[in-house]
Amino acid sequence: MRRVVTALGALAAAWMLSLALPGPAHSASGDLVLNGRIFANPSGCYRELNAPLSVQNRTGTVAYVFASRDCTGPAQTVPARQSASSAGGHSVRIS
């Protein structure tokens, strides 16, 4: 009986640990090209970019171009598999 209780305790501890560990980070599949620089499987905010900004979104998700340097405020969208340029773009977010 003691072995069963020990085994159940170990299983419960492993299950609790699996809940505490973060899952894999999600990124867009494909490439994001910003001013000629290629980012494979991009994710998050790309900051402090130089304007004018050329964006080639070679992923399956929308990219957002911001005039701010930290991906905040109003955004221009660049749909999946499309390109755009922004005279005042300084940051891009993609998930």
Side-chain angles (χ1 to χ4, degrees):
M1 183 70 172
R2 185 173 234 158
R3 287 183 185 170
V4 172
V5 171
T6 303
L8 288 176
L11 285 174
W15 180 74
M16 291 299 289
L17 182 59
S18 73
L19 293 177
L21 297 175
H26 295 284
S27 61
S29 216
D31 294 329
L32 180 66
V33 183
L34 305 175
N35 287 344
R37 187 169 174 202
I38 300 171
F39 298 91
N41 301 321
S43 177
C45 179
Y46 294 84
R47 308 169 189 269
E48 304 288 329
L49 302 169
N50 294 324
L53 182 59
S54 168
V55 179
Q56 295 175 33
N57 183 4
R58 300 176 185 168
T59 72
T61 189
V62 176
Y64 299 91
V65 179
F66 299 87
S68 70
R69 295 192 176 274
D70 62 355
C71 296
T72 59
Q76 170 189 353
T77 59
V78 182
R81 296 172 195 75
Q82 295 195 23
S83 299
S85 59
S86 174
H90 289 286
S91 61
V92 175
R93 176 173 298 284
I94 192 161
S95 307

